[in-house]
Amino acid sequence: MTKRNITILVITSIICLLPICLSLSVYNDLPERVAMQWNFEGNPNWYAHKAVMAFGMPLFFFVLNIAVLFLFYADPKRENASKVMQVFTVWFISILSLIIVPLILLTNLGIELPTVMIVLVLVGVMFIFFGNYMPKNKQNYSIGIRVSWTLNDPENWNKTHRMAGLLWIIGGVLFILAAFLPLPNIIGIILIFFVLITISVTPILYSYLLYKREKNASHGS
């Protein structure tokens, strides 16, 4: 890793831990068991000890940030990713820590916040962002649909990421719509799983079909 990469790693890691300052200031005011997750109707459905929330979650983001950046900087083809996606990859985890941890802390302090709506909109915007820039990435080992068929064939990579980009944008729009619709909890869960499975699995299947079609065409010629 270069000196610049190490500097970025240190800065983003510190940012991941910054919410601990808020945790320390409100720790005694938190209930012993805090809500960690809410359903579509706004009711908590997962609790944990307040220490897990206040200190464990920033530490989780801290470790995740280090892992992501080490993998990213170890990629010899990382420069093939679009500049915007490179910046996003570097700073995403630390920014997420700054948003998610205070949001959950404040909610457990009794401050009424549309937690589910905020999270869904945040994820939806992220999907739209990824979808927009996904087709602009060239082959690399860090960002995109990284299966053997895309990594071994530039045309397969490009076609797969154009299709995946569209799917991710549609998925993001559906997430944002779900944030503002009064969906029953079960319908919301089904929608989320449907979107996640569709944007994850469909591009891989599409890439494989492109690979098989190209293989059959080469054998037939």
Side-chain angles (χ1 to χ4, degrees):
M1 293 176 66
T2 66
K3 184 177 180 180
R4 178 178 180 274
N5 293 345
I6 294 174
T7 301
I8 292 175
L9 177 62
V10 171
I11 293 173
T12 55
S13 297
I14 292 173
I15 293 174
C16 286
L17 296 176
L18 280 180
I20 290 180
C21 297
L22 177 61
S23 297
L24 289 171
S25 66
V26 303
Y27 190 76
N28 291 333
D29 297 322
L30 291 170
E32 286 301 309
R33 287 173 56 80
V34 297
M36 299 282 285
Q37 181 179 312
W38 292 260
N39 61 25
F40 275 82
E41 295 164 354
N43 301 315
N45 55 13
W46 177 33
Y47 291 86
H49 190 274
K50 63 181 181 179
V52 173
M53 170 63 246
F55 308 114
M57 185 165 284
L59 287 172
F60 166 76
F61 283 118
F62 171 78
V63 173
L64 182 61
N65 180 67
I66 292 176
V68 168
L69 290 190
F70 263 108
L71 290 173
F72 178 66
Y73 288 136
D75 181 0
K77 294 186 176 182
R78 66 179 181 274
E79 295 299 325
N80 285 345
S82 71
K83 296 299 181 183
V84 174
M85 288 300 294
Q86 290 181 46
V87 173
F88 183 83
T89 301
V90 167
W91 295 97
F92 171 65
I93 302 298
S94 56
I95 293 174
L96 199 62
S97 180
L98 283 180
I99 296 174
I100 297 298
V101 177
L103 177 64
I104 298 179
L105 283 173
L106 294 175
T107 301
N108 279 282
L109 288 171
I111 299 174
E112 293 189 9
L113 295 170
T115 307
V116 176
M117 178 185 295
I118 293 172
V119 172
L120 287 174
V121 170
L122 183 65
V123 174
V125 170
M126 182 189 71
F127 282 170
I128 293 172
F129 179 87
F130 264 109
N132 181 57
Y133 283 97
M134 195 176 288
K136 301 173 184 177
N137 291 327
K138 297 178 182 179
Q139 287 172 308
N140 69 92
Y141 301 113
S142 303
I143 304 170
I145 313 300
R146 305 176 308 278
V147 293
S148 60
W149 315 299
T150 57
L151 292 174
N152 291 324
D153 182 354
E155 185 177 358
N156 189 304
W157 173 281
N158 293 332
K159 289 182 178 179
T160 298
H161 284 77
R162 282 197 295 270
M163 188 274 285
L166 178 61
L167 281 181
W168 279 61
I169 290 173
I170 294 173
V173 171
L174 290 176
F175 262 70
I176 293 173
L177 288 176
F180 295 98
L181 294 176
L183 298 175
N185 188 53
I186 186 63
I187 300 299
I189 292 174
I190 291 173
L191 175 63
I192 295 303
F193 272 98
F194 173 77
V195 171
L196 292 178
I197 291 173
T198 299
I199 67 175
S200 301
V201 176
T202 305
I204 296 175
L205 293 176
Y206 178 72
S207 174
Y208 178 72
L209 292 175
L210 290 176
Y211 160 75
K212 291 294 291 184
R213 186 174 68 182
E214 180 64 25
K215 185 178 180 181
N216 291 337
S218 62
H219 285 170
S221 58

